[in-house]
């Protein structure tokens, strides 16, 4: 309770690194798992992270949804194992929005540079933006994004050698997003579901 700084980080890392099961990249597309972690209220479809669209959970080789590394893979230390297959980290996403995000770090984007969903999902305009080398989630997903990155920074020792600017404009930006978009019931539920799987 009295720990701070690197001591606190080390203690937390020890606590959250004791899972008995390590998820695989295939788990991240398994409908029976993804419906648990990212299912809608009725449990019949899954909710895509940036667009918040509800689509069928059936894996169709990435046409309707694919697996998004919230920390862009090319900006991190992982491939498709460890952090690269961690269910806390990997989220279902619309393919076109995932492509727009690409490996762009998170930041504030001015103007109306909104992303669009894939043709398979209706080519809809969403509230996430991408321009000038940055990706900005919608207000309702900013806190979720920050907390996923916080988790990765604490959980995986490999992250210690990465500067936050690999993935965002600044740590202050993530702290602000965390404050503006507090943890909600669906985020708590997802955390508990993933914890139970692990």
């Amino acid at each position: 309770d009295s720990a701070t700084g690197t001591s606190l980080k080390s203690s937390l890392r020890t606590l959250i690194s004791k899972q008995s099961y390590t998820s695989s990249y295939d788990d991240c597309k398994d409908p029976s798992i993804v419906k648990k972690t990212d299912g809608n209220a009725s449990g019949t479809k899954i909710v895509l992270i940036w667009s918040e669209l509800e689509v069928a959970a059936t894996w169709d080789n990435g046409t309707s949804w694919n697996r998004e590394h919230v920390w862009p893979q090319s900006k991190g230390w992982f491939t498709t194992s460890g952090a690269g297959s961690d269910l806390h980290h990997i989220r279902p996403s619309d393919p076109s929005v995932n492509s727009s995000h690409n490996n762009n770090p998170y930041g504030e984007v001015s103007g109306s540079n909104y992303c669009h969903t894939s043709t398979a999902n209706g080519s809809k305009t969403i509230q996430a933006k991408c321009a000038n080398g940055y990706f900005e989630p919608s207000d309702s997903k900013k806190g979720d994004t920050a907390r996923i990155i916080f988790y990765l920074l604490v959980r995986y020792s490999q992250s210690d050698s990465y500067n936050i600017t690999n993935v965002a404009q600044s740590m202050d930006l993530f702290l602000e997003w965390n404050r503006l978009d507090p943890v909600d019931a669906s985020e708590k539920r997802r955390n508990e579901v993933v914890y139970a799987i692990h």
Side-chain angles (χ1 to χ4, degrees):
D1 288 343
S2 61
T4 59
T6 55
S7 176
L8 174 60
K9 184 177 181 180
S10 177
S11 296
L12 290 171
R13 181 170 288 162
T14 298
L15 285 171
I16 63 177
S17 301
K18 295 180 177 179
Q19 72 266 28
S20 58
Y21 174 74
T22 301
S23 53
S24 70
Y25 199 51
D26 280 344
D27 288 339
C28 300
K29 67 175 184 180
D30 182 333
S32 67
I33 292 176
V34 180
K35 280 174 74 173
K36 292 177 184 175
T37 59
D38 294 276
N40 62 3
S42 64
T44 56
K45 294 187 175 184
I46 59 171
V47 182
L48 306 184
I49 182 169
W50 311 123
S51 63
E52 301 185 63
L53 290 177
E54 296 185 5
V55 301
T58 305
W59 180 249
D60 58 4
N61 295 311
T63 300
S64 301
W65 63 276
N66 57 20
R67 295 163 287 185
E68 169 105 4
H69 291 83
V70 175
W71 183 314
Q73 187 176 347
S74 63
K75 299 283 189 176
W77 62 94
F78 43 81
T79 54
T80 55
S81 61
S85 62
D86 189 317
L87 290 168
H88 286 295
H89 172 207
I90 309 301
R91 303 294 296 270
S93 177
D94 175 87
S96 291
V97 181
N98 192 348
S99 293
S100 294
H101 182 194
N102 196 8
N103 64 356
N104 293 301
Y106 297 98
E108 294 182 339
V109 176
S110 60
S112 56
N113 297 288
Y114 295 104
C115 298
H116 304 275
T117 63
S118 60
T119 302
N121 290 325
S123 301
K124 296 178 181 178
T125 302
I126 63 170
Q127 292 303 302
K129 298 179 182 180
C130 191
N132 304 318
Y134 288 105
F135 179 79
E136 181 178 356
S138 65
D139 290 347
S140 64
K141 290 300 173 186
K142 286 178 177 171
D144 306 56
T145 303
R147 288 182 287 273
I148 290 169
I149 301 301
F150 294 159
Y151 163 78
L152 293 167
L153 290 169
V154 174
R155 168 64 180 83
Y156 294 96
S157 60
Q158 296 93 331
S159 70
D160 295 343
S161 60
Y162 281 79
N163 191 298
I164 194 64
T165 55
N166 277 310
V167 72
Q169 284 176 327
S170 68
M171 181 62 81
D172 286 342
L173 178 73
F174 277 155
L175 291 170
E176 178 67 6
W177 285 3
N178 175 63
R179 186 187 68 79
L180 290 173
D181 174 29
V183 178
D184 59 23
S186 64
E187 195 176 351
K188 289 180 181 178
R189 184 200 63 79
R190 189 180 194 281
N191 183 72
E192 292 304 311
V193 168
V194 174
Y195 174 76
I197 293 169
H198 281 267

